[in-house]
Amino acid sequence: MTKTITVAGDLRVNRIGYGTMRLADAAVWHGPADRDAAITVLRGAIELGVNFVDTSDAYALGESEQLIAEALHPYGEDLVIATKVGVTRPSPAEWEPLGHPAYLRQQAELSLRRLKLDHIDLLQLHRIDPKVPLADQIGALRQLLDEGKVRHIGLSEATVEQIREAVEIAPIASVQNQYSLATRHEEPVLDYTAAQGITFIPYFPVAMVDTAAGSPVATVAAEIGATATQTALAWLLHRSPTVLPIPGTTSLSHLRENVAAADLQLSDEQFERLSASVAAPVAAP
C-alpha cells in the first residue's frame, strides 16, 4: 500500500488528507467558536505531513476558506488546497445546489480571494444542480480551467453516468462521495473512477463504523496494534490505491491518530474479513 497518491497525474499528496467542515459550528453556518484552536489544528495538520486540505465556499459562508489562509498562507509548495462551489446556504438548515454558470464562476473568484491564491489546484462542483444542464455547469468550470484560474476539476456526489457525461466536456480529476466501511452504496462509483484513474475522495470516511469493543473493526485493530478508527481508515486505503480519505476533526490528538493510519498495513485476509463482517452496504438515500 502506497502512502502517497498522484491526483490528475501532477498533484502528489500524502494519502490522508484533512477536511475542514468540522472546523465550523454544528450547522456549518458560523466559523469556529475558538478560532485560535482551529488555526492550531490546521497548522498541526501540516506539521504532521498532511498536504491535501479540502474545504468549500459553503462552509461557514466562506469563513472556512478565510481560516485556511489565515492559518497557512503563505503556503508550502507541496500543499494542495481543494475547494468546492455550487451550493448556496439560504439558512443554517439549507444546502441548495445552484449551478448557474455565472454563479459558479463568481464563487470561484471569491474563493481565490479568500484563499489568497492565483489559481485553485482542485475546484470541485459541490453538487450537481438538476435544474441546470450538466454541460453548462462543467462548461463554466472548464472556462476557469482554460483561463488558468483552476488547475483541475472535480465532482462531488456524482453518479457514474454523470461522470461519463462530464468527462466529455472537461477532464475530471476527482470525485468526492460519501463512503466508508459501513456506508458502501457508492462502490460502483469507486470502481468506475479507479478504472479511469480518477481519484476517489471519500467524505465522512469513518461514518457509522461500529468501533465498539468486540466489533469486527475493534478485533482487527487489536491484531495490528491500532485504534478502531485507524483500522477503518486503513481499510479505505487498502480498498483502492485511488482512494484519498479526508477525515475532519477539531482535536490534535484525533488528528495525529488519523494521520498515523497511513502507516498501517492490513493483510488481504484482514481486509476481506472486515469487508464481509461489517453490515452490508446501505441503500443510497
Side-chain angles (χ1 to χ4, degrees), residues 8-203:
D10 63 355
L11 299 177
R12 191 161 189 82
V13 295
N14 295 323
R15 285 191 69 197
I16 298 288
Y18 179 71
T20 63
M21 191 174 77
R22 292 280 302 277
L23 294 180
D25 65 358
V28 201
W29 183 251
H30 293 290
D34 190 336
R35 196 174 187 87
D36 290 341
I39 288 173
T40 297
V41 169
L42 280 166
R43 291 175 177 168
I46 303 306
E47 291 169 2
L48 288 167
V50 172
N51 56 0
F52 183 89
V53 175
D54 179 84
T55 188
S56 169
D57 73 332
Y59 297 166
L61 303 181
E63 193 170 348
S64 174
E65 294 176 330
Q66 292 173 329
L67 190 68
I68 289 170
E70 183 178 343
L72 304 179
H73 191 273
Y75 305 115
E77 290 185 1
D78 68 337
L79 178 61
V80 172
I81 297 175
T83 194
K84 297 181 283 291
V85 295
V87 165
T88 59
R89 302 293 310 279
S91 75
E94 295 177 277
W95 299 73
E96 296 292 338
L98 182 54
H100 190 283
Y103 177 76
L104 296 177
R105 291 171 53 221
Q106 169 189 281
Q107 294 308 105
E109 294 286 356
L110 291 173
S111 291
L112 284 165
R113 294 186 190 185
R114 286 189 290 257
L115 289 164
K116 299 182 179 180
L117 290 169
D118 58 12
H119 73 274
I120 296 168
D121 282 329
L122 178 61
L123 182 66
Q124 303 157 95
L125 184 59
H126 202 155
R127 290 293 184 272
I128 294 171
D129 186 346
K131 298 176 182 178
V132 178
L134 181 58
D136 292 349
Q137 297 174 70
I138 302 302
L141 303 188
R142 178 63 191 250
Q143 183 174 347
L144 292 163
L145 185 77
D146 293 341
E147 292 170 352
K149 295 173 181 177
V150 168
R151 190 168 176 179
H152 297 293
I153 297 169
L155 302 175
S156 183
E157 284 301 313
T159 65
V160 170
E161 292 73 20
Q162 289 168 334
I163 299 167
R164 286 183 175 135
E165 183 179 348
V167 298
E168 294 296 318
I169 304 159
I172 299 300
S174 66
V175 173
Q176 183 176 148
N177 288 8
Q178 183 177 359
Y179 185 79
S180 72
L181 176 58
T183 54
R184 285 181 272 164
H185 55 271
E186 296 291 350
E187 295 223 300
V189 174
L190 194 164
D191 290 337
Y192 178 77
T193 54
Q196 301 301 313
I198 297 171
T199 299
F200 184 85
I201 305 173
Y203 70 84

Side-chain angles (χ1 to χ4, degrees), residues 242-272:
T242 61
V243 169
L244 172 58
I246 49 169
T249 181
T250 60
S251 163
L252 277 174
S253 61
H254 289 162
L255 179 63
R256 295 188 190 97
E257 177 185 357
N258 293 340
V259 172
D263 294 324
L264 298 177
Q265 291 285 348
L266 294 178
S267 69
D268 289 341
E269 185 277 331
Q270 288 168 328
F271 173 82
E272 295 297 340

